[in-house]
Amino acid sequence: MCGITGFIGYENAAPLLIRALKKLEYRGYDSAGIAVIHDKKIIVRKMKGRINLLEESLLENPLDGYTGIGHTRWATHGEPSDINSHPHTDSDGRIAIVHNGIVENYIKLKQWLQSRGIVFRSDTDTEVIAHIINYFYRKGHGSLLQSVIEALKLLNGSYALAVICADYPDRIIAARKDSPLIAATGGAGSFLASDITALLEFTRDVYFLNDGEIAVLYQDHIELRNDEGDLIQRETTHIDWSVESAEKNGFPHFMLKEIFEQPKSLENALRPRLKKDIIDFEEIKFDKKWLEARRIVIIACGTAYHAAVIGKYAFEYFARIPVEVDIASEYRYRNPIFNKNDIYIAISQSGETADTLAAVRLIKQNGGCVIAITNAPGSTLSREANEIIYTYAGPEIAVASTKAFTSQVMCIYLLALELGRARSYIPDTKKYTDELCEIPDRIRKILDKKEIIQRFASRQYNKTKMLFMGRQFDYPVSMESALKLKEISYTHSEAFAAGELKHGPIALIDSSTLVISFATQTALFEKMASNILEVCSRGAASLVITWEGGGFFDALNSEVFTLPKSEDCFSPMLAVIPAQLFSYYCAVQRGNDPDKPRNLAKSVTVE
Ligand code: F6R
């Protein structure tokens, strides 16, 4: 949530900060701002609204200076407004900061500062940091670095922050705790960002800051220090994501581009793990722990949680092992039972989700080993987990997750199949891996029919209630589809297991309702047909997503969208595609920006 950027170098900072901020806009977009050091003074430009407003104002009234910091905000403390936008400055206007995260003890700190005569301008927690740094700076704590170190000691909560000071135009000081921060030197100078995508066009060799670390950026180099200010030596990490992977490449939105990238992203998830039809996860040890495990516990949030639920079905189906799936925010607070014979899996696209990380830490404190499934190299999760499976989906920029979800699901299927083989439930995985290899082409065929979904959305987008139902593997796909739709179209949508229809949801059905049914579990076709008849006969509009060929659902009073036939157990990766397209086209029809839905931000780094 929120995006941070910083630049110090041989070019004017403002245009570079804006370029980098645009790459981070998906992290928050209710306001934006930059601060630049010009002529030994700090000049701040910030405003409510999207970054292009700030950019326009800078074009009209440019800012010169080679050192600067920038921020795109997702409001937590204080409404989106010009005043609450970052950067924030101290009372002397000599220190400016941008901050991601939450200062949990800010009220106490604010009262203390107010008692010393400090007048606050904003409602944010961030402003206290600027004043505290100034407090130590004035007290003569030697240097800016030392003042920042002293200030950090007073903060509870999470932060990624960047600080500039008019008296030190030759440096930017950055620090992190529980919120990502990346620093790099290359070409025009040194850069700072809360996300790799902002740096891709400048350099690929980056330092990932660890919790408690401080980076001091100079024009031509970066010093890493610990929380006492001692120097640390670290190699840079090379990132091989391409610049284009973070561009729209002719698509009107990142979300549509990412939906269309799925054949490729799934190949990327699959190929490195298949060696001549044999599943081979080089990155994890399929040791005794897996063979003797009594239970698998999977934790995640949001869309990743839906991938986890598919994981439950897949592990139980292929490897006959009990699986417990939990939403990370519930898991961390519900006093869960730990067992050393359990396998713990955490799924997170960003690897920075606060609740997921807290659950991982809890598991590790209780002696568990955590396997991470993540898309983000260098993320906190990838550094804290015991073993990592990368999804290799490439950067996902749209707030609504699409390709990351299917890649997570692909990795889970591979794991479940390999575990099923290792535990002797599947004598030969070839039949299944052959099918998995077909999935990318089958998705291409579905994408070729995108106009069918587009037309359907243009007829249905105004429905006030949209419900999704399915059984077995179709149930988590229904959950994911309902989430996607509500996130970007703001339509009230719900998912339920089709067997639950008569236990409550049927009360919602009337002519203002659209019901989308997933029917890919062949053994349950008749049950699904009854459910679909029940909703149609109560006046709901209906769409069935099912396999091509059979015609089983043709006689119902429902539209039918067909998927190329695959094994029923692999249907989620196919069935979710028309649902993703449907959400996208409904959002566009409603005039929403699908990439930047209201109130949401990519990567929920605070609780
Ligand atoms: C939905 C969505 C969110 C995320 C959730 C977890 O489209 O993007 O529900 O899935 O915030 O995020 P990660 O996977 O980064 O932990």
Side-chain angles (χ1 to χ4, degrees):
M1 336 206 76
C2 304
I4 283 186
T5 156
F7 171 73
I8 175 162
Y10 311 99
E11 290 180 25
N12 258 340
L16 292 174
L17 292 172
I18 293 290
R19 248 154 74 190
L21 281 179
K22 282 183 168 173
K23 296 276 167 40
L24 296 176
E25 204 172 10
Y26 67 110
R27 288 199 161 250
Y29 30 82
D30 55 47
S31 42
I34 63 168
V36 164
I37 303 179
H38 174 76
D39 218 4
K40 290 216 158 186
K41 284 198 194 71
I42 287 190
I43 304 178
V44 177
R45 292 280 175 74
K46 57 182 188 174
M47 58 183 64
K48 184 179 165 186
R50 301 255 164 117
I51 290 163
N52 51 1
L53 293 179
L54 178 68
E55 184 179 29
E56 280 163 24
S57 99
L58 283 162
L59 285 174
E60 274 171 31
N61 194 358
L63 255 187
D64 284 344
Y66 298 105
T67 305
I69 53 179
H71 191 265
T72 174
R73 179 168 187 247
W74 186 90
T76 56
H77 294 58
E79 57 168 13
S81 69
D82 292 354
I83 294 283
N84 287 334
S85 314
H86 299 213
H88 291 281
T89 52
D90 68 311
S91 317
D92 298 337
R94 312 279 312 151
I95 291 169
I97 75 160
V98 289
H99 165 228
N100 283 357
I102 292 181
V103 181
E104 284 164 5
N105 56 339
Y106 89 101
I107 294 180
K108 218 170 114 199
L109 293 170
K110 188 169 178 174
Q111 286 165 348
W112 175 69
L113 288 159
Q114 281 169 329
S115 73
R116 306 187 62 84
I118 302 289
V119 178
F120 278 76
R121 285 160 295 202
S122 76
D123 306 319
T124 64
D125 53 339
T126 300
E127 194 183 337
V128 297
I129 310 175
H131 293 302
I132 296 175
I133 296 173
N134 173 284
Y135 167 80
F136 287 113
Y137 192 59
R138 279 198 192 185
K139 233 176 130 191
H141 260 261
S143 68
L144 177 65
L145 177 65
Q146 201 51 40
S147 306
V148 172
I149 290 172
E150 295 304 323
L152 295 180
K153 287 183 186 158
L154 297 185
L155 306 183
N156 293 342
S158 57
Y159 52 78
L161 53 93
V163 183
I164 53 172
C165 174
D167 304 330
Y168 290 87
D170 64 337
R171 69 198 68 177
I172 299 174
I173 297 186
R176 92 156 249 176
K177 180 173 166 251
D178 293 338
S179 193
L181 209 49
I182 299 148
T185 302
S190 295
F191 300 86
L192 181 76
S194 48
D195 198 315
I196 302 168
T197 46
L199 300 187
L200 286 180
E201 68 171 295
F202 307 114
T203 175
R204 302 295 163 70
D205 296 302
V206 304
Y207 293 109
F208 287 102
L209 267 71
N210 289 327
D211 275 347
E213 287 182 356
I214 294 171
V216 186
L217 284 78
Y218 299 93
Q219 281 181 326
D220 55 355
H221 72 286
I222 291 168
E223 286 170 5
L224 292 185
R225 296 178 177 269
N226 66 17
D227 54 2
E228 294 298 335
D230 305 323
L231 276 172
I232 304 168
Q233 294 307 327
R234 164 104 42 81
E235 294 296 308
T236 54
T237 305
H238 184 75
I239 304 295
D240 51 17
W241 288 356
S242 66
V243 178
E244 299 73 50
S245 63
E247 306 284 347
K248 284 190 203 149
N249 287 343
F251 282 89
H253 297 102
F254 279 110
M255 182 174 177
L256 192 62
K257 175 188 170 232
E258 288 160 8
I259 291 173
F260 272 77
E261 277 173 350
Q262 288 176 104
K264 189 84 198 93
S265 53
L266 285 178
E267 272 159 12
N268 291 347
L270 182 62
R271 292 289 167 207
R273 279 99 195 203
L274 268 190
K275 311 268 154 62
K276 295 193 182 139
D277 301 330
I278 309 279
I279 299 171
D280 180 4
F281 275 95
E282 273 176 6
E283 59 269 65
I284 62 164
K285 293 187 279 300
F286 251 99
D287 51 15
K288 188 155 132 268
K289 163 180 95 219
W290 283 91
L291 299 179
E292 292 174 2
R294 300 262 184 80
R295 178 178 73 149
I296 295 178
V297 176
I298 316 180
I299 48 147
C301 300
T303 286
Y305 169 75
H306 300 149
V309 180
I310 295 170
K312 173 179 172 65
Y313 284 76
F315 279 113
E316 291 180 355
Y317 185 85
F318 292 117
R320 309 299 303 141
I321 179 167
V323 180
E324 186 181 306
V325 182
D326 217 332
I327 293 167
S329 55
E330 286 298 306
Y331 186 82
R332 63 185 285 197
Y333 291 121
R334 74 168 165 75
N335 198 9
I337 297 160
F338 300 95
N339 192 317
K340 66 176 173 32
N341 289 327
D342 289 346
I343 289 185
Y344 295 92
I345 301 177
I347 308 178
S348 172
Q349 186 282 128
S350 62
E352 301 292 350
T353 300
D355 283 318
T356 308
L357 291 173
V360 165
R361 287 167 192 153
L362 186 68
I363 293 166
K364 289 182 73 181
Q365 276 156 21
N366 285 279
C369 284
V370 178
I371 296 147
I373 299 183
T374 183
N375 192 37
S379 60
T380 309
L381 179 62
S382 72
R383 281 174 292 145
E384 294 197 10
N386 301 84
E387 292 174 283
I388 316 160
I389 295 173
Y390 283 115
T391 47
Y392 301 131
E396 190 178 66
I397 310 285
V399 166
S401 183
T402 53
K403 63 175 181 172
F405 169 73
T406 44
S407 297
Q408 289 160 354
V409 174
M410 178 63 91
C411 290
I412 285 169
Y413 275 122
L414 290 167
L415 269 180
L417 280 168
E418 181 52 9
L419 188 59
R421 191 204 55 73
R423 289 165 76 107
S424 309
Y425 290 107
I426 308 174
D428 181 8
T429 51
K430 184 169 180 332
K431 164 181 162 204
Y432 295 110
T433 51
D434 283 353
E435 276 286 303
L436 287 179
C437 291
E438 295 296 326
I439 296 285
D441 267 341
R442 289 177 184 156
I443 293 180
R444 283 188 186 98
K445 289 191 179 125
I446 298 170
L447 293 171
D448 285 345
K449 299 200 291 183
K450 72 172 194 313
E451 279 82 12
I452 298 178
I453 297 293
Q454 190 172 14
R455 283 196 295 274
F456 182 74
S458 68
R459 280 183 273 122
Q460 302 292 343
Y461 74 97
N462 261 338
K463 284 278 184 306
T464 51
K465 284 171 280 175
M466 301 207 195
L467 307 179
F468 294 82
M469 65 174 176
R471 289 166 183 262
Q472 216 184 335
F473 280 99
D474 287 330
Y475 172 44
V477 175
S478 306
M479 298 199 293
E480 171 57 9
S481 307
L483 178 69
K484 213 83 312 164
L485 186 73
K486 71 175 72 130
E487 281 182 298
I488 58 170
S489 77
Y490 321 142
T491 309
H492 181 85
S493 58
E494 251 190 62
F496 52 92
E500 284 286 291
L501 178 64
K502 292 199 205 55
H503 299 286
I506 199 162
L508 292 172
I509 310 283
D510 59 19
S511 58
S512 70
T513 320
L514 167 68
V515 181
I516 297 188
S517 308
F518 295 94
T520 65
Q521 305 302 296
T522 314
L524 298 171
F525 270 10
E526 285 175 3
K527 310 264 179 224
M528 281 307 297
S530 306
N531 294 138
I532 293 160
L533 276 172
E534 282 154 6
V535 298
C536 291
S537 61
R538 284 165 178 81
S542 165
L543 174 72
V544 186
I545 296 175
T546 186
W547 298 128
E548 66 193 9
F552 193 89
F553 298 95
D554 290 352
L556 307 179
N557 191 14
S558 172
E559 296 195 39
V560 177
F561 182 88
T562 58
L563 311 167
K565 180 73 182 101
S566 183
E567 284 283 325
D568 290 1
C569 57
F570 295 141
S571 67
M573 288 178 285
L574 301 175
V576 78
I577 307 291
Q580 294 170 343
L581 287 168
F582 178 67
S583 306
Y584 171 79
Y585 287 121
C586 283
V588 172
Q589 284 284 347
R590 284 171 164 254
N592 303 346
D593 179 346
D595 284 347
K596 300 188 189 80
R598 70 182 181 202
N599 304 339
L600 295 175
K602 193 99 182 147
S603 189
V604 185
T605 52
V606 293
E607 239 190 297

